[in-house]
Amino acid sequence: MKITSFSAQVLFLAALLACAMAPAFAQTGAEAQAPLWHERALTVDTHCDTPFKLLEKGWDIGQYHKTGERGSGCQDLPRMKEGGLDASFFAVFVGQGPRTPEGHARAKEKAATILDAMDAMYEKYPALCGRALTPADARRLEKEGKRAIFIGMENGYPIGRDPGLIDYFYRRGVRYVTLAHTSDNDICDSSTDRRDPEDRGLSEWGKQVLWRLNDLGVMIDVSHVSDRSFHDVLALTRAPVIASHSCARALSDHPRNLSDDMLRALKKNGGVIQLCILDDYVKMPPPNPKREQAFAELFKKVDETYGGWGGIKDKAARDKLEAEYDAIQARFPQPPVYVRDAVDHIDHIVRLIGIDHVGIGTDFDGGGGLADCRDVTELRNITIELARRGYTEEQVGKIWGGNAMRVMQQVIDLAQKK
Ligand SMILES: [Zn+2]
């Protein structure tokens, strides 16, 4: 965000004051500068699941919702402004279903419904946000004091087996595609599909998808894909890739995270890993079978009744299920995970592959959030921790969006060169 108006200056001063009052952070040297760096950077979050809230009755993205209140979610447009978040990739997410023509048709319809809701958001709140398709759009919207909202597609399932749909989703504004989600699909294998232990990597159809995405200038997202799929993609793509929301496996041995070998390959590709601030990925919790069983039963119920959390349209039903979720959390608590734990991953990645290949993808409204970064209004805590560890303003700018926007521009340029 750039400080352009009196009210923005007041907001900025308030933010500075809020940080100055936070007891956890002593304001010395670079740390005292951190809120200013946060305001001056083009801050970009490459992954959130906020679009499913657009479909929720009674929830309005143009309204301010209080942090921590039930049903408030992790962000809305006013809170994004308060948190100094300039740009965000909203994920059009469709959970994996049957790999049949009917399944693919339903997935395409679901994705189209979410895209309709996105269109309605841009139309309803032109003073608060705008559609971003390029890094230049994000910079322009930042200057206008509006949130730049990009669209990413999480899970290539809605593309089905129809090459025409890749172009269709491009026309509707999709600028990255996460090839798979938690289960294998027709494009490639997933990092977390336990039903088929064999990792088949990228399929022949997946190669067609990859080449078309390269030609259109749509970023390929390797978060969620299996190790073999990751290496297959990097061997074939002529553009750099992103991992829109993943952490480092060296610090937290989760299949969703990238190993050091994968990180080195990503550097060679010129791509970027966007650190996911989801507690289980940042720090693997100790095993807790009772907790896992309780959650498995709740999620099964939600899946069977509504086809996933995103399918719950009724507010009363949603409140009841969220209360059940909170009750399980309270009954089987996990050790809290903090911003400092997430920044340990950034330190590791920077030491291994340098400052030019790391950014931030919160996974807000999709499970993302930490004890001291519960929602978008608390994102400055990441910047303060980076400053405390000696990162410079230039480095913070790269992490907060410079690297992701560089990759996005390269992907667009390479498409046009073809
Ligand atoms: Zn995800």
Side-chain angles (χ1 to χ4, degrees):
M1 190 175 100
K2 293 274 188 303
I3 300 162
T4 50
S5 68
F6 176 72
S7 64
Q9 287 184 42
V10 171
L11 252 180
F12 168 66
L13 284 172
L16 223 113
L17 205 65
C19 289
M21 291 187 301
F25 301 108
Q27 296 291 300
T28 53
E31 282 170 63
Q33 295 288 311
L36 181 64
W37 297 356
H38 193 84
E39 298 310 314
R40 287 203 290 229
L42 174 70
T43 47
V44 182
D45 173 5
T46 54
H47 189 85
C48 74
D49 283 299
T50 306
F52 90 82
K53 296 207 59 86
L54 294 175
L55 304 178
E56 211 178 285
K57 268 201 195 97
W59 190 86
D60 185 342
I61 194 157
Q63 298 297 316
Y64 187 94
H65 304 79
K66 262 199 195 135
T67 302
E69 223 162 61
R70 185 182 303 290
S72 63
C74 292
Q75 59 186 15
D76 45 55
L77 295 169
R79 261 188 299 171
M80 286 167 79
K81 186 164 188 163
E82 182 183 316
L85 181 63
D86 299 311
S88 180
F89 282 78
F90 277 31
V92 170
F93 163 68
V94 178
Q96 189 61 43
R99 292 161 62 175
T100 58
E102 298 74 29
H104 287 142
R106 271 198 303 274
K108 188 245 164 185
E109 281 318 305
K110 275 190 190 171
T113 304
I114 300 167
L115 287 162
D116 291 344
M118 295 281 303
D119 289 347
M121 172 190 75
Y122 296 123
E123 206 166 301
K124 190 172 176 193
Y125 294 111
L128 299 183
C129 70
R131 185 191 297 274
L133 300 171
T134 64
D137 288 341
R139 285 191 291 271
R140 171 180 53 79
L141 288 159
E142 183 207 19
K143 286 202 181 74
E144 293 170 5
K146 299 174 187 174
R147 301 313 98 196
I149 311 295
F150 291 97
I151 303 175
M153 171 174 274
E154 184 174 33
N155 197 4
Y157 178 46
I159 295 168
R161 307 281 301 200
D162 181 353
L165 285 180
I166 305 172
D167 291 54
Y168 165 79
F169 287 122
Y170 174 81
R171 285 196 301 275
R172 297 218 52 186
V174 170
R175 288 299 180 268
Y176 75 64
V177 174
T178 318
L179 297 179
H181 190 238
T182 50
S183 306
D184 302 343
N185 66 17
D186 280 20
I187 297 171
C188 70
D189 275 10
S190 160
S191 61
T192 48
D193 197 329
R194 297 276 173 267
R195 291 168 304 177
D196 176 7
E198 197 190 331
D199 183 355
R200 290 166 216 276
L202 191 70
S203 70
E204 283 305 312
W205 162 241
K207 292 178 190 172
Q208 308 296 317
V209 173
L210 176 145
W211 285 319
R212 189 62 194 149
L213 293 173
N214 276 177
D215 288 352
L216 287 168
V218 175
M219 291 186 285
I220 293 166
D221 178 13
V222 292
S223 282
H224 281 292
V225 310
S226 70
D227 288 15
R228 189 171 158 194
S229 305
F230 172 93
H231 289 294
D232 286 351
V233 167
L234 264 61
L236 291 172
T237 179
R238 58 185 182 87
V241 303
I242 63 165
S244 72
H245 58 307
S246 291
C247 298
R249 212 176 281 174
L251 275 74
S252 177
D253 190 15
H254 194 291
R256 274 281 285 104
N257 294 340
L258 271 54
S259 69
D260 285 358
D261 276 350
M262 292 160 90
L263 288 169
R264 285 189 203 98
L266 188 70
K267 178 193 169 97
K268 210 170 146 212
N269 160 271
V272 63
I273 174 173
Q274 301 286 109
L275 196 78
C276 185
I277 57 165
L278 191 149
D279 45 12
D280 284 7
Y281 301 160
V282 172
K283 213 171 183 177
M284 284 275 276
N288 190 339
K290 282 185 181 158
R291 175 187 160 97
E292 280 150 34
Q293 197 195 334
F295 272 125
E297 280 165 17
L298 174 65
F299 279 72
K300 188 166 175 248
K301 185 166 77 179
V302 171
D303 278 349
E304 284 172 357
T305 318
Y306 301 99
W309 289 89
I312 313 167
K313 303 282 181 284
D314 179 55
K315 190 174 180 310
R318 170 173 290 277
D319 285 352
K320 187 171 168 288
L321 288 162
E322 285 187 356
E324 282 181 43
Y325 183 97
D326 291 347
I328 296 172
Q329 286 281 23
R331 208 166 145 219
F332 307 106
Q334 270 180 347
V337 180
Y338 297 100
V339 163
R340 61 173 181 267
D341 300 310
V343 176
D344 285 347
H345 285 253
I346 296 183
D347 280 350
H348 173 79
I349 295 163
V350 171
R351 271 198 299 272
L352 190 73
I353 60 171
I355 190 71
D356 294 320
H357 305 280
V358 63
I360 293 162
T362 61
D363 212 358
F364 275 155
D365 291 322
L370 301 167
D372 49 353
C373 187
R374 293 168 296 166
D375 76 353
V376 70
T377 63
E378 297 178 340
L379 277 182
R380 275 183 197 83
N381 290 343
I382 297 176
T383 312
I384 292 167
E385 182 66 18
L386 288 168
R388 170 190 279 175
R389 294 192 189 196
Y391 287 88
T392 64
E393 180 174 11
E394 189 196 350
Q395 291 174 323
V396 166
K398 285 183 174 189
I399 293 168
W400 257 128
N403 290 333
M405 291 295 98
R406 178 198 78 232
V407 169
M408 185 177 198
Q409 192 59 53
Q410 281 174 349
V411 170
I412 293 168
D413 292 347
L414 282 164
Q416 282 161 359
K417 258 186 207 146
K418 208 210 164 205

